[in-house]
Amino acid sequence: MVNRKLSNRDRFVVRVTILLTINPGLFARLMRLPDSARTDLLEFLGATPVADAQLSEMIETVATNASIE
């Protein structure tokens, strides 16, 4: 993808988008969380790369905390 605003005849700037996906099983667990917790966690995941094992622990912690409240 070329950013036309930053390009001229002699050179151009290539913009690369890295798309990370969530394991489908973890995504299903994530979607079962309460709305506010799910939104917060999805925003965090959008800004920070997280390994599957770490995400699983985060979902479990959020689910446990949500059931206590």
Side-chain angles (χ1 to χ4, degrees), residues 1-66:
M1 179 182 321
V2 176
N3 189 336
R4 298 283 178 208
K5 291 181 181 177
L6 297 177
S7 64
N8 64 28
R9 289 190 300 145
D10 299 327
R11 64 188 171 121
F12 61 90
V13 176
V14 176
R15 182 176 49 184
V16 177
T17 302
I18 298 173
L19 182 63
L20 302 175
T21 59
I22 298 175
N23 173 298
L26 292 174
F27 183 75
R29 287 177 51 203
L30 176 63
M31 295 308 289
R32 287 192 292 265
L33 293 173
D35 289 344
S36 62
R38 180 177 60 236
T39 301
D40 289 345
L41 194 48
L42 285 170
E43 286 180 8
F44 177 77
L45 294 173
T48 308
V50 177
D52 286 349
Q54 187 179 13
L55 177 56
S56 180
E57 289 179 26
M58 294 169 82
I59 293 169
E60 186 63 35
T61 300
V62 170
T64 301
N65 290 341

